[in-house]
Amino acid sequence: MESFKIEGGHSLYGSITPQGAKNEALQVLCLVLLTQEKVTIHNVPDILDVNKLIELLGDLGVKIQKLGKGSYSFQADEINMDYLSSEEFAKQSQRLRGSILILGPLLARFGYGGVPKPGGDKIGRRRLDTHFDGFIKLGATFTYSHENHYYTVTAPQGLKGAYILLDEASVTGTANILMAASLAEGTTTIYNAACEPYLQQVCRMLQQMGAQIEGIGSNLLTIRGVKKLGGCTHRILPDMIEIGSWIGMAAMTQSELTIKEVGWEHLGLIPTIFERLGITLERRGDDIYIPAHTEGYEIQNFIDGSILTVYDAPWPGFTPDLLSIILVTAIQARGEVLVHQKMFESRLFFVDKLIDMGAKIILCDPHRAVVIGNDFKSRLRATTMTSPDIRAGIALLIAALSAKGTSTIHNIEQIDRGYECIEERLQAIGARITRV
């Protein structure tokens, strides 16, 4: 098991460029299964979860060529469907929650898809009902084996368009159903669809491949199925979660930092929420400039004077993946904030580690925590921690960078799952971090 050793208390300086978006990559990589033609994808992040999915596609028979850093071509003209019943496939896909996204394309193109119960972060219950309810409405038959926890969907006669009202605005659920519907006979309407920028990217990539989709960016998508999809070239957006992570890191370490090429038009409420914590953000072209907050930063209360509450919601609401960053950034603010994590009941359980470091946090219940800011009047103490998931891991890393002394973070594979070459990129802007 690898660990990070971080000597905290040092200001950072310079610029950092966000990687390609992890959540988009896991979706658009599965789109290559919908066509026999070559698909080229640029700005693919070099992270564990994405690399595992690329490996899985290769084992399925997809021809993969690395064209350069972050650029790949894929051609799925000789897919080995028998691989789905192998023990090796079961082991691979169980380690990766994104494996669920191969079902829609395989079902649409081959009439069959199967996957064991996927893995991923241990942040609470993450149900898959939305995916399978959508497939069933498109005419598929669903079975689940309790013995080996294996999901199967079949549609030997092909899929047929349908009206689908999603029970929740699931991003991966919408993407999976959307991919399946693109090759279904007739028209499919998806209401209460997710409309995150990454889902919009899936729609635009499908359009390049020949799909007919209306309502992109809204919660009502109309898909007119086509018989065949072709190749395309696609570029993945910058990772908004990484961008938010670097904003929080700059504030907590009182550093002057520029985040390059962020794709401002795709950030939604992210800049606004950090500004409500009192953090100054300056737009310079497509970059974010953050000055050194040497005098600290003050949380803005609501207009009536009540305590600021930051909570997650489906897009264009605030993304749940950044609530861990908001929580850790508030530790050194002036004022108080209530962080309300609605989606996942285990995501706030890392706060005990921050309390051990000297943070003033009251965990109200599994979903809510109140942070009382230190205003830099007392520094966090260095400690030894273990990363429980990707986002908690980066929050602990930010805390360690701002703490006095040398901290150790174990189980950093969790951080590597979502952040590319992180110690090298942080070292380049002055962080004292080493991998052990």
Side-chain angles (χ1 to χ4, degrees):
M1 181 185 291
E2 293 185 318
S3 305
F4 281 142
K5 282 198 177 295
I6 303 112
E7 183 183 316
H10 302 284
S11 293
L12 312 177
Y13 183 81
S15 64
I16 191 166
T17 302
Q19 67 189 30
K22 167 185 178 279
N23 291 338
E24 179 186 341
L26 294 176
Q27 296 172 56
V28 299
L29 285 171
C30 294
L31 284 175
V32 307
L33 295 169
L34 284 167
T35 178
Q36 296 186 63
E37 297 183 18
K38 185 174 289 187
V39 174
T40 302
I41 303 178
H42 299 295
N43 203 28
V44 178
D46 183 11
I47 56 178
L48 280 180
D49 276 8
V50 169
N51 293 337
K52 285 178 183 177
L53 181 56
I54 292 173
E55 182 183 348
L56 179 63
L57 292 173
D59 290 338
L60 265 171
V62 178
K63 298 168 185 171
I64 302 169
Q65 183 180 1
K66 187 168 185 178
L67 307 175
K69 180 175 168 53
S71 296
Y72 293 84
S73 70
F74 303 87
Q75 190 157 10
D77 56 351
E78 293 181 0
I79 295 299
N80 176 18
M81 294 297 287
D82 292 335
Y83 184 68
L84 297 179
S85 57
S86 69
E87 289 186 15
E88 180 60 28
F89 172 72
K91 290 178 184 177
Q92 275 190 297
S93 54
Q94 281 177 329
R95 294 182 294 148
L96 177 66
R97 184 168 179 82
S99 62
I100 189 70
L101 288 161
I102 69 172
L103 284 184
L106 293 178
L107 179 65
R109 187 172 160 201
F110 300 102
Y112 171 82
V115 68
K117 187 176 181 179
D121 284 334
K122 306 304 180 187
I123 56 176
R125 184 168 175 262
R126 305 168 82 181
R127 63 190 184 88
L128 299 171
D129 303 55
T130 304
H131 300 248
F132 296 114
D133 287 345
F135 295 150
I136 291 167
K137 287 184 172 67
L138 291 172
T141 300
F142 166 73
T143 56
Y144 175 64
S145 169
H146 291 276
E147 184 178 342
N148 54 14
H149 304 289
Y150 200 88
Y151 302 101
T152 303
V153 281
T154 56
Q157 306 304 316
L159 301 174
K160 297 189 182 299
Y163 172 79
I164 301 172
L165 175 59
L166 300 186
D167 60 342
E168 64 174 356
S170 163
V171 177
T172 54
T174 302
N176 230 343
I177 297 165
L178 179 65
M179 290 187 279
S182 64
L183 289 177
E185 180 185 338
T187 300
T188 299
T189 303
I190 307 175
Y191 195 27
N192 194 29
C195 47
E196 271 77 356
Y198 305 147
L199 199 282
Q200 296 176 39
Q201 287 283 94
V202 171
C203 291
R204 294 190 181 99
M205 183 171 169
L206 278 168
Q207 284 182 325
Q208 284 192 73
M209 297 170 74
Q212 298 181 19
I213 304 171
E214 296 176 4
I216 298 174
S218 76
N219 67 348
L220 180 62
L221 295 173
T222 302
I223 307 99
R224 292 176 177 83
V226 297
K227 292 185 177 180
K228 184 180 178 182
L229 292 172
C232 73
T233 298
H234 177 80
R235 183 174 181 82
I236 293 172
L237 291 176
D239 195 311
M240 68 170 76
I241 313 305
E242 227 194 41
I243 293 164
S245 302
W246 305 149
I247 294 172
M249 182 182 68
M252 279 285 281
T253 58
Q254 297 179 293
S255 301
E256 181 182 358
L257 201 64
T258 299
I259 309 172
K260 306 288 288 183
E261 301 171 20
V262 299
W264 268 91
E265 67 272 25
H266 304 294
L267 294 181
L269 283 174
I270 291 173
T272 301
I273 298 300
F274 280 102
E275 287 171 342
R276 287 178 183 170
L277 291 186
I279 298 168
T280 300
L281 305 177
E282 183 180 325
R283 182 170 184 171
R284 294 184 174 180
D286 200 32
D287 302 343
I288 295 175
Y289 170 74
I290 306 157
H293 288 70
T294 53
E295 302 299 320
Y297 44 97
E298 185 171 0
I299 296 170
Q300 302 172 10
N301 288 337
F302 287 121
I303 292 174
D304 63 358
S306 58
I307 183 173
L308 176 68
T309 301
V310 179
Y311 57 87
D312 55 330
W315 189 269
F318 192 65
T319 173
D321 282 346
L322 276 176
L323 283 183
S324 300
I325 310 302
I326 290 294
L327 187 147
V328 77
T329 305
I331 289 172
Q332 291 295 10
R334 283 191 298 277
E336 303 80 33
V337 62
L338 171 63
V339 176
H340 189 175
Q341 164 61 263
K342 296 180 180 179
M343 281 192 178
F344 305 115
E345 65 272 11
S346 302
R347 202 163 218 171
L348 296 181
F349 284 170
F350 75 101
V351 301
D352 60 327
K353 301 171 179 64
L354 299 175
I355 293 170
D356 288 343
M357 297 178 77
K360 297 174 184 174
I361 303 173
I362 302 168
L363 186 61
C364 307
D365 55 45
H367 293 276
R368 296 177 302 159
V370 175
V371 185
I372 302 163
N374 286 336
D375 191 20
F376 293 101
K377 291 177 181 175
S378 63
R379 289 279 182 182
L380 295 181
R381 298 182 295 271
T383 188
T384 298
M385 304 168 276
T386 299
S387 172
D389 63 74
I390 299 174
R391 307 310 173 189
I394 198 67
L396 295 176
L397 177 54
I398 291 170
L401 286 169
S402 72
K404 184 178 180 180
T406 300
S407 296
T408 301
I409 302 178
H410 299 304
N411 195 30
I412 60 171
E413 182 185 75
Q414 292 290 346
I415 301 174
D416 290 335
R417 288 178 50 218
Y419 292 82
E420 177 181 320
C421 304
I422 186 166
E423 74 272 22
E424 296 168 14
R425 296 161 71 203
L426 292 182
Q427 287 166 357
I429 55 174
R432 300 187 185 183
I433 175 174
T434 55
R435 182 181 295 261
V436 184

